[in-house]
Amino acid sequence: MESQVVLFILYSIPVYLVAFALYIIRALKGPTISDIVLAIDALTYDLAAFLVILSIFFRSPILIATAIVLSLWVYALDIYVAKYLEAREMGG
C-alpha cells in the first residue's frame, strides 16, 4: 500500500509542474485583471495541494501548516481583489 502511495505521488509531481507553468504563463499574459487573479488563485491552491503531497512524501507535517496558511492568504487576497473590482477602492 505504501509503495502505491509513493508511486502515485511520483507520477503526480510532473502534472503539478506542468500546471504551475501554465498558470504562470496565464498570470503573465492574462489580458484582464480577472484572468490574472484567477491564475494566481489556481496556482496558489495547487501549490497548497502540492505541499500536502510533499508532506506525505517526506513525512513532514510542518508543510501542511504552511499549505493552510497559504490557502488562507489567497482567500484573503480574493476578498480584497473582489472588493476592489466591485467598488474600485481598497481598505476600510
Side-chain angles (χ1 to χ4, degrees):
M1 179 69 180
E2 187 174 323
S3 65
Q4 292 175 343
V5 171
V6 171
L7 190 63
F8 173 76
I9 290 171
L10 290 177
Y11 281 124
S12 66
I13 288 174
V15 173
Y16 274 102
L17 294 177
V18 169
F20 293 156
L22 293 174
Y23 291 142
I24 290 171
I25 290 170
R26 174 52 64 192
L28 294 175
K29 294 180 70 174
T32 65
I33 292 177
S34 300
D35 291 334
I36 295 170
V37 170
L38 184 62
I40 291 172
D41 279 351
L43 175 69
T44 309
Y45 286 124
D46 273 2
L47 185 61
F50 187 66
L51 285 174
V52 171
I53 288 174
L54 287 180
S55 74
I56 294 169
F57 186 73
F58 291 119
R59 298 176 187 206
S60 174
I62 191 69
L63 292 174
I64 293 175
T66 305
I68 291 170
V69 170
L70 184 65
S71 297
L72 292 174
W73 179 79
V74 153
Y75 183 70
L77 177 70
D78 287 344
I79 291 171
Y80 278 113
V81 169
K83 184 177 178 182
Y84 174 75
L85 290 177
E86 185 172 315
R88 298 286 180 206
E89 66 180 42
M90 295 296 290

